[in-house]
Amino acid sequence: SKRLCYVGTDDTAAGKQVMLETIKLLGDKPPVVAILAGNQTATNLQKRVAGARAAVESTPNAKLVEVVYHKETPQDAYQAVEQLQKTHPEINGWAMVGGWPLMTPRPLPWNPGEVICVS
């Protein structure tokens, strides 16, 4: 390539920031979080997940329940979030390194104020 420069996202830093904001919004509640990550083989999403994991690991009392991978469609993402939230109702924060489920006409599968979601 004869490009002079490239401007893009630092995916690791972006994932870390998404998780840090999720944890911050939980306030005094011990963070019990999940990561929504899309395609497991996508390099950019792997880096975002690594950044989000690092944020959890550096936060005392934080617990990562699961990283959720899915087909990158709004419907599949929503279903994945809904299923894990039902299985683990203790999850109080979602770090979504992609916003797929936010593109459905349905609200997220919890009552307002019950779960924090940052994307």
Side-chain angles (χ1 to χ4, degrees):
S1 168
K2 295 186 182 198
R3 290 185 214 146
L4 183 57
C5 68
Y6 168 76
V7 178
T9 301
D10 178 333
D11 289 306
T12 304
K16 185 175 184 179
Q17 191 64 42
V18 167
M19 184 59 80
L20 289 174
E21 291 298 322
T22 303
I23 292 168
K24 177 181 167 185
L25 289 169
L26 287 168
D28 295 336
K29 298 176 186 174
V32 181
V33 296
I35 301 169
L36 183 73
N39 183 338
Q40 191 169 7
T41 63
T43 304
N44 64 325
L45 297 177
Q46 291 172 353
K47 290 178 181 179
R48 291 179 194 176
V49 168
R53 282 183 188 272
V56 172
E57 291 167 4
S58 69
T59 303
N61 301 320
K63 178 185 175 192
L64 175 60
V65 174
E66 191 170 324
V67 178
V68 179
Y69 297 98
H70 60 86
K71 290 181 186 176
E72 293 180 359
T73 68
Q75 296 76 18
D76 288 320
Y78 186 95
Q79 183 178 16
V81 169
E82 183 177 47
Q83 182 177 359
L84 188 63
Q85 191 68 43
K86 284 180 181 176
T87 305
H88 292 280
E90 72 275 17
I91 294 172
N92 59 10
W94 279 88
M96 297 184 177
V97 298
W100 304 277
L102 306 176
M103 297 175 211
T104 65
R106 299 183 288 177
L108 291 170
W110 50 76
N111 293 321
E114 282 182 348
V115 179
I116 297 298
C117 173
V118 176
S119 180

